[in-house]
């Protein structure tokens, strides 16, 4: 007679995706999407607000929203050479994130998106925002000379 496994034998094994984390109560995600280049900043902000509304409707919360601006793409995506980048830090159950991904995939203004489960959110500005600050500082220094 064979025994069935009772669960993770090693305490370091991670729980399944969507499993509620004991520290936070809900899983943490980073959701990043790329919007078409021909949208205005107000339309991009409206897309971020819509995503936030979807998460909050499902009993989740968006802890941080960052708009990284219009950036060049490494290659064309759906005939776009540039895209507006937006990142959301989300605390929500897996079902809410699945609904957010479904709605994002339907939206024709969004050309790419990616949701990643993380152990903890970054405090302060993201790496991308810090990069923008460094570039601005370098430009100011060059203009002074």
């Amino acid at each position: 007679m064979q025994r069935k496994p009772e669960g993770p034998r090693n305490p370091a094994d991670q729980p399944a995706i969507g499993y509620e984390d004991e520290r936070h109560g809900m899983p943490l995600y980073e959701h990043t999407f790329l919007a078409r280049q021909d949208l205005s900043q107000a339309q991009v902000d409206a897309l971020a607000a819509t995503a936030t509304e979807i998460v909050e409707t499902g009993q989740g919360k968006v802890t941080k929203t960052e708009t990284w601006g219009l950036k060049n793409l490494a290659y064309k995506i759906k005939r776009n050479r540039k895209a507006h980048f937006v990142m959301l830090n989300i605390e929500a159950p897996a079902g809410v994130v699945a609904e957010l991904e479904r709605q994002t995939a339907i939206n024709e203004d969004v050309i790419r998106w990616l949701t990643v489960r993380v152990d903890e959110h970054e405090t302060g500005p993201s790496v991308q925002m810090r990069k923008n600050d460094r570039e601005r500082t370098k430009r100011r220094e060059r203009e002074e000379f």
Side-chain angles (χ1 to χ4, degrees), residues 12-122:
D13 288 346
Q14 294 295 318
I17 291 177
Y19 182 81
E20 290 191 11
D21 193 351
E22 294 170 4
R23 293 172 292 170
H24 300 287
M26 282 199 224
L28 305 175
Y29 299 92
E30 287 182 359
H31 177 74
T32 306
F33 65 87
L34 282 62
R36 286 191 346 232
Q37 63 188 1
D38 58 340
L39 298 179
S40 69
Q41 188 59 46
Q43 291 171 312
V44 174
D45 293 340
L47 285 173
T50 302
T52 302
E53 185 179 313
I54 292 167
V55 171
E56 289 175 352
T57 300
Q59 308 305 316
K61 68 179 181 177
V62 175
T63 57
K64 179 169 63 170
T65 303
E66 286 185 357
T67 303
W68 296 339
L70 186 65
K71 297 194 170 293
N72 290 324
L73 300 173
Y75 53 89
K76 280 186 178 181
I77 301 174
K78 296 183 182 178
R79 300 184 190 151
N80 291 283
R81 291 198 176 272
K82 294 182 176 188
H84 293 274
F85 286 63
V86 179
M87 186 202 54
L88 306 169
N89 283 349
I90 299 170
E91 287 183 34
V96 173
V97 174
E99 176 63 18
L100 174 63
E101 290 177 340
R102 187 185 75 78
Q103 298 259 349
T104 302
I106 291 171
N107 193 330
E108 60 189 32
D109 291 333
V110 177
I111 58 175
R112 281 284 196 281
W113 53 269
L114 177 68
T115 306
V116 179
R117 175 134 191 251
V118 293
D119 292 330
E120 59 185 30
H121 288 139
E122 247 183 278

